[in-house]
Amino acid sequence: MTRRPLILITLLAALLSSSSASAQVWFELLHAPCLTGNESNLNPVSGRYRGAVDCFNEDFNGGGARNTLSIKAFQAWEFGTMFLYYDITGPFNSALADVASVNEKGGFFGGITVTLSGKFLGEKLLNRKLDWGPLSNVSFKYEAEHVSKFGMLNYYGLQWDFAVPFLDFVTVTTVIRDDYVFRGVDFQLGAAWQKSFSLGSQDFKFLGFFQWGLFGEGVHRNPGPFDLARGNRFFLAQPQLLWDFGKVLTFTPGKLYAGLEYQIAFNRYLIPGKAENVLQGMIRWNIWQ
């Protein structure tokens, strides 16, 4: 499948998006202090701190202690949605900073997703509302993912939205992962969820996502000395627990959150045996909603 038409569809959807539709923009600042890490107990191959719970692996993305700034935006348009996110590693480091990795001077990872709702299109064509029970929507999904030092990947498939009691939302994705450096493609299963709840007068959110590459891609098209021979299966999850401390400060409720994010990954960056378990402190600012 050629990628140029998919990119044109993405741009067209952005141009057609309605300015009056609901939109959200927010920042997330995360910090892994690596207080439990010990350099004398470091796996030299994976870079993992053995037994640590708040350390990243020491690798091309930086050291065990790390700051990450996430910029995220969600925009609904007439026939679907647009979502973008970018994670910037070491966002506050100077260009002259003496750091172990170039990526700690603003390395990034992120993507732009556009969905086209089959249900919204059906309702428009039939001129009536459709009731699919617990399945609230099915959308065509395209994502362009950008990774510093590696380039762009493409995802295309379906997004399934479910109406689940007691949850704000549940979304499942079934997509093809197309990384051009490898022959063939992978089938990827993902999900995202959110649950808002209160304990006494305090408001909280439990949310997160996972992505699971089930099979792995084929062999590398043009392997170099540091490249993987082929794509691999992987798993990545990032659940978050957030407390609305802006409400306590008599700031506008739902604007400022503090909490924790736990990242668990297997075959991180598609590297066999590279696992990562990181507990990070987090501040979230909903700048526009």
Side-chain angles (χ1 to χ4, degrees):
M1 178 181 291
T2 179
R3 297 166 182 79
R4 184 171 297 175
L6 294 173
I7 295 172
L8 292 176
I9 290 171
T10 302
L11 295 175
L12 180 62
L15 292 173
L16 292 176
S17 61
S18 171
S19 60
S20 62
S22 61
Q24 300 178 53
V25 179
W26 68 99
F27 298 111
E28 297 174 359
L29 181 61
L30 301 104
H31 177 62
C34 202
L35 299 175
T36 60
N38 187 337
E39 292 188 356
S40 64
N41 197 23
L42 186 69
N43 185 316
V45 177
S46 67
R48 183 178 178 181
Y49 290 84
R50 296 185 180 94
V53 296
D54 60 349
C55 301
F56 282 93
N57 294 342
E58 281 201 358
D59 53 31
F60 57 85
N61 262 335
R66 197 176 303 174
N67 294 316
T68 305
L69 176 64
S70 293
I71 304 169
K72 300 180 179 180
F74 176 85
Q75 169 76 60
W77 58 290
E78 186 177 3
F79 294 115
T81 61
M82 185 281 292
F83 174 68
L84 70 83
Y85 72 97
Y86 282 92
D87 298 340
I88 304 170
T89 307
F92 309 120
N93 287 334
S94 163
L96 298 176
D98 183 16
V99 296
S101 166
V102 175
N103 266 25
E104 289 184 281
K105 296 181 179 181
F108 67 88
F109 171 89
I112 302 173
T113 297
V114 172
T115 66
L116 181 63
S117 169
K119 183 177 182 181
F120 294 168
L121 286 174
E123 290 177 339
K124 190 75 170 181
L125 292 173
L126 297 173
N127 197 27
R128 63 181 178 86
K129 292 292 184 180
L130 298 176
D131 184 2
W132 295 348
L135 181 61
S136 59
N137 203 352
V138 177
S139 302
F140 300 98
K141 170 186 167 76
Y142 169 69
E143 178 181 355
E145 180 181 277
H146 305 98
V147 186
S148 60
K149 296 191 177 184
F150 292 103
M152 190 175 87
L153 288 70
N154 296 273
Y155 300 82
Y156 26 84
L158 296 175
Q159 176 174 299
W160 313 77
D161 298 328
F162 293 93
V164 178
F166 310 113
L167 291 178
D168 301 339
F169 69 81
V170 174
T171 295
V172 174
T173 56
T174 50
V175 297
I176 297 298
R177 183 181 191 272
D178 185 6
D179 186 344
Y180 188 72
V181 301
F182 299 110
R183 298 187 184 277
V185 295
D186 192 12
F187 180 73
Q188 189 166 312
L189 175 66
W193 71 89
Q194 178 175 291
K195 167 63 177 176
S196 300
F197 64 98
S198 299
L199 294 175
S201 63
Q202 304 303 303
D203 296 335
F204 298 85
K205 289 183 183 293
F206 175 62
L207 65 158
F209 74 89
F210 77 80
Q211 292 292 335
W212 181 14
L214 274 69
F215 307 109
E217 295 96 333
V219 298
H220 201 292
R221 292 180 183 272
N222 187 26
F226 302 106
D227 291 322
L228 294 170
R230 62 180 301 116
N232 293 288
R233 294 176 294 176
F234 74 93
F235 181 83
L236 171 67
Q238 292 180 340
Q240 299 174 353
L241 179 62
L242 302 178
W243 165 53
D244 186 354
F245 79 94
K247 179 181 177 181
V248 177
L249 299 176
T250 66
F251 196 68
T252 305
K255 287 287 188 180
L256 293 175
Y257 289 87
L260 299 170
E261 177 184 277
Y262 179 66
Q263 175 176 292
I264 181 170
F266 300 100
N267 288 353
R268 190 73 168 114
Y269 313 117
L270 308 184
I271 301 173
K274 190 177 185 69
E276 196 162 57
N277 299 278
V278 189
L279 182 66
Q280 303 181 86
M282 176 178 169
I283 295 176
R284 171 171 168 168
W285 175 24
N286 292 342
I287 188 171
W288 182 21
Q289 61 178 358

